[in-house]
């Protein structure tokens, strides 16, 4: 059995030899608060099974810690490292606790291999994640700022919080690997950079099946991923972007793309698990916003993409930008058979799609599309735009739209 606490979470300090930086232990017992680590010179060793963190606690909270990086961190081994649960860059990291108010600043640097999180709550042991994931871990009010950088994340194993159905996440404002706990109030700001891998403001991702949940009736999935923000300016992302991902509820999340190119999908909020009472979903994905501005381009987009949930008062704004798949809805509410989707209903009301000064070919346009119920009071506003509407059976979603 490998206990990753024994492997240490490490920070860096200056060494006298060649003015380089070397590893020293930083993981502590008790709360860790207000630590600052700056990496501005080359590292003295190649990639190992260790995290680079501003501050980390073995058994308590990590709050208001800062990690500054202004030099390249490149791994020569591009495979998934053994014990990769400990192989990240984080402002603050905890086990079964709360990481809050932590910050990562990356400027003029190339990061190869490691995922980046402002705050991270993860399981203690990679070999026991199936048991430990039922505990509680929160990542709240953390921030990642990236300017003039290139980040390319390694592939992740299926049990990692940074693996989304085989697609690795490169950057998260806050991330939690626990079934119970919130990823809320986190922010990612990226300017003049290139990211290969996904980007998430608030990430709660647990590899969990409905059968597993039914076998834990004593545990309630309190997972509210609210008030997360992703700002992407003059940058390119090869991967998907989410303001919030994996929550039972996800409200008031915002994603803003300004002069950005995304070779992937973009959602202000996407559900991770559906809870229901009888035949009605209890999760909410309300008041989320997605802005595509000033020549931005994405493969597909929606303010909310969810399965068997409720989504109302969401907005998607498209201004002189492109959505290449041509299915334009503020909300896309889909079926999920594992969640008993034939009987679970969800509402999609009062959602709005605004299209301004945008020439575009589209296959479907609507305020919302719903496979779990009947949408109502949704709106589409088009101004100063030249929209060509074509039917394409390969692209059309179908369903009930409004």
């Amino acid at each position: 059995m490998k206990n990753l606490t024994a492997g240490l979470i490490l920070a860096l300090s200056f060494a006298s030899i060649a003015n380089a930086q070397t590893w020293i232990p930083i993981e502590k017992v008790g709360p860790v608060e207000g630590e600052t680590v700056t990496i501005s010179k080359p590292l003295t060793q190649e990639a190992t099974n260790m995290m680079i963190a501003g501050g980390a606690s073995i058994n308590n909270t990590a709050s208001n810690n800062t990690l500054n990086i202004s030099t390249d961190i490149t791994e020569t081994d591009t495979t998934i490292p053994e014990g990769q649960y400990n192989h990240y860059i984080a402002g603050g990291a905890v086990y079964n606790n709360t990481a809050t108010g932590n910050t990562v600043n990356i400027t003029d640097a190339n990061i190869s291999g490691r995922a980046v999180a402002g705050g991270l709550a993860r399981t203690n042991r990679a070999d026991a994640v199936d048991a430990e994931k039922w505990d509680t871990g929160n990542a709240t009010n953390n921030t990642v700022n990236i300017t003039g950088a290139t980040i390319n994340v390694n592939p992740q194993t299926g049990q990692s919080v940074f693996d989304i159905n085989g697609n690795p996440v490169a950057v998260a404002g806050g991330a939690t690997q626990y079934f119970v706990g919130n990823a809320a109030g986190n922010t990612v700001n990226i300017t003049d950079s290139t990211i290969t891998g996904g980007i998430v403001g608030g990430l709660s991702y647990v590899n969990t099946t409905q059968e597993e949940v039914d076998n834990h009736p004593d545990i309630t999935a309190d997972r509210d991923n609210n008030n997360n923000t992703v700002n992407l300016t003059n940058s390119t992302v090869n991967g998907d972007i989410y303001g919030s991902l994996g929550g039972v509820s996800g409200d008031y999340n915002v994603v803003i793309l300004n002069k950005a190119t995304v070779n992937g999908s973009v959602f202000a909020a996407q559900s991770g698990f559906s809870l229901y009472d009888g035949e009605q979903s209890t999760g909410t994905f309300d008041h989320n916003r997605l802005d595509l501005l000033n020549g931005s381009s994405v493969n597909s987009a929606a303010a909310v993409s969810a399965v068997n949930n409720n989504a109302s008062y969401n907005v998607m704004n498209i201004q002189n930008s492109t959505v290449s798949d041509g299915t334009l809805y503020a909300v896309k509410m889909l079926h999920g058979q594992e969640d008993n989707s034939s009987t679970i209903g969800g509402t999609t009301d009062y959602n709005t799609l605004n299209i301004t000064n945008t020439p575009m070919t589209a296959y479907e346009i609507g305020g919302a599309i719903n496979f779990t119920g009947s949408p109502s009071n949704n709106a589409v506003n088009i101004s100063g735009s030249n929209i060509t509407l074509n039917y394409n059976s390969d692209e059309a979603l179908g369903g009930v739209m409004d």
Side-chain angles (χ1 to χ4, degrees):
M1 179 183 298
K2 175 177 283 188
N3 188 323
L4 292 184
T5 59
L8 297 178
I9 298 177
L10 303 181
L12 300 135
S13 68
F14 286 104
S16 59
I17 301 175
N19 199 30
Q21 288 179 287
T22 56
W23 304 96
I24 61 171
I26 193 174
E27 191 175 48
K28 298 179 180 179
V29 174
V32 178
E33 182 177 2
E35 302 281 354
T36 297
V37 173
T38 298
I39 306 174
S40 58
K41 297 182 182 297
L43 307 185
T44 58
Q45 69 179 62
E46 295 180 354
T48 61
N49 271 347
M50 293 176 288
M51 174 185 291
I52 300 172
S57 175
I58 296 173
N59 62 353
N60 213 296
T61 59
S63 59
N64 302 316
N65 302 289
T66 301
L67 175 62
N68 302 309
I69 299 175
S70 58
T71 190
D72 295 350
I73 299 177
T74 302
E75 299 184 359
T76 58
D77 184 359
T78 59
T79 62
I80 303 169
E82 180 185 0
Q84 49 77 46
Y85 292 90
N86 215 21
H87 201 76
Y88 308 126
I89 292 171
V94 296
Y95 304 108
N96 191 23
N97 217 294
T98 297
T100 187
N102 302 287
T103 302
V104 175
N105 299 308
I106 300 175
T107 305
D108 299 328
N110 298 314
I111 309 297
S112 177
R114 297 172 184 262
V116 178
L120 176 61
R122 76 268 173 62
T123 60
N124 190 10
R125 303 194 316 272
D127 57 357
V129 64
D130 284 335
E132 291 186 0
K133 69 185 180 184
W134 302 103
D135 293 329
T136 301
N138 299 289
T140 60
N141 301 315
N142 303 286
T143 302
V144 176
N145 299 309
I146 299 172
T147 304
T150 299
I151 296 179
N152 189 345
V153 66
N154 279 351
Q156 303 288 300
T157 63
Q159 294 286 17
S160 168
V161 67
F162 289 98
D163 177 85
I164 309 301
N165 298 321
N167 299 310
V169 173
V171 180
T176 173
Q177 198 173 1
Y178 294 92
F179 187 72
V180 180
N182 305 322
N186 302 289
T187 301
V188 175
N189 300 310
I190 299 175
T191 304
D192 299 329
S193 298
T194 299
I195 312 296
T196 298
I199 298 171
V200 187
L203 173 61
S204 294
Y205 192 77
V206 184
N207 199 346
T208 308
T209 66
Q210 181 67 50
E211 182 179 1
E212 285 184 292
V213 175
D214 292 341
N215 290 334
H216 291 80
D218 56 321
I219 298 175
T220 301
D222 292 326
R223 212 156 70 222
D224 298 328
N225 291 9
N226 305 328
N227 297 296
N228 299 289
T229 301
V230 174
N231 295 303
L232 184 69
T233 303
N234 196 34
S235 297
T236 298
V237 175
N238 299 305
D240 299 329
I241 297 178
Y242 309 87
S244 163
L245 176 62
V248 173
S249 293
D251 302 332
Y252 295 98
N253 300 286
V254 177
V255 174
I256 301 173
L257 272 57
N258 187 2
K259 300 179 182 178
T261 299
V262 179
N263 298 308
S265 300
V266 181
F267 306 109
Q270 186 173 82
S271 63
F273 189 77
S274 178
L275 289 184
Y276 50 91
D277 181 8
E279 296 183 356
Q280 183 65 35
S281 170
T282 60
T284 62
F285 292 82
D286 300 339
H287 299 283
N288 299 286
R289 193 181 91 231
L290 170 60
D291 294 346
L292 307 178
L293 309 175
N294 298 321
S296 294
S297 64
V298 304
N299 290 356
S300 62
V304 172
S305 173
V307 176
N308 300 99
N309 274 289
N310 304 292
S312 298
Y313 301 101
N314 301 285
V315 177
M316 180 164 71
N317 299 309
I318 303 175
Q319 182 263 315
N320 190 28
S321 296
T322 302
V323 180
S324 62
D325 76 351
T327 56
L328 307 179
Y329 295 98
V331 171
K332 298 176 180 178
M333 188 63 64
L334 307 177
H335 278 313
Q337 292 298 327
E338 189 177 57
D339 287 330
N340 237 355
S341 63
S342 60
T343 60
I344 301 171
T347 59
T348 51
D349 302 335
Y350 299 101
N351 301 288
T352 303
L353 171 64
N354 298 314
I355 303 175
T356 306
N357 299 329
T358 298
M360 185 186 298
T361 297
Y363 304 117
E364 297 183 26
I365 297 178
I369 186 166
N370 192 339
F371 289 84
T372 67
S374 297
S376 65
N377 296 300
N378 298 285
V380 176
N381 302 308
I382 300 175
S383 63
S385 300
N386 183 4
I387 307 295
T388 301
L389 188 61
N390 290 334
Y391 176 74
N392 184 329
S393 60
D394 293 331
E395 300 288 347
L397 291 175
V400 180
M401 66 180 184
D402 178 33

